[in-house]
Amino acid sequence: HACDVSQQGRKFEVAKEWTYLLFDEFFDQGDLEKYKNLPITMLCDRVTVNVAASQPGFISFIPLPLMISLSNVLPDLHNLIQ
């Protein structure tokens, strides 16, 4: 799981590129859901989602707590998240 969200800890340009690649997948999913008249999953509606605005909440809620927990188990990781 940590590898899936680790791009947010990389250099800005890398994190930005991976974020937009991920949202391309999310938006494709939302387009398919819309086409099939299904409810659109959170963060998958290309019309309403602001990618940049979604990132601080995501980082605070998923990768940061995960990396902090991992650093308790793997102390050398602590140096990477400060």
Side-chain angles (χ1 to χ4, degrees), residues 2-19 59 63 67 80:
C3 290
D4 288 341
V5 296
S6 68
Q7 73 278 1
Q8 296 303 325
R10 299 181 187 278
K11 291 180 181 179
F12 176 76
E13 289 304 318
V14 173
K16 179 180 170 186
E17 179 179 358
W18 278 98
T19 296
I59 292 167
M67 295 302 166
L80 300 174

Side-chain angles (χ1 to χ4, degrees), residues 38-63:
L38 296 169
I40 300 174
T41 304
M42 184 174 71
L43 297 176
C44 292
D45 190 343
R46 70 176 67 247
V47 175
T48 61
V49 172
N50 180 320
V51 175
S54 72
Q55 293 309 287
F58 171 75
I59 292 167
S60 297
F61 187 68
I62 304 290

Side-chain angles (χ1 to χ4, degrees), residues 61-73:
F61 187 68
I62 304 290
L64 185 59
L66 178 59
M67 295 302 166
I68 290 170
S69 294
L70 281 174
S71 74
N72 290 329
V73 177

Side-chain angles (χ1 to χ4, degrees), residues 3 8 20-21 24-25 29 31 35 41 57 59 64 68 79:
C3 290
Q8 296 303 325
Y20 279 96
L21 288 169
D24 285 343
E25 290 185 33
Q29 175 180 326
D31 293 345
Y35 174 77
T41 304
I59 292 167
L64 185 59
I68 290 170
N79 296 328

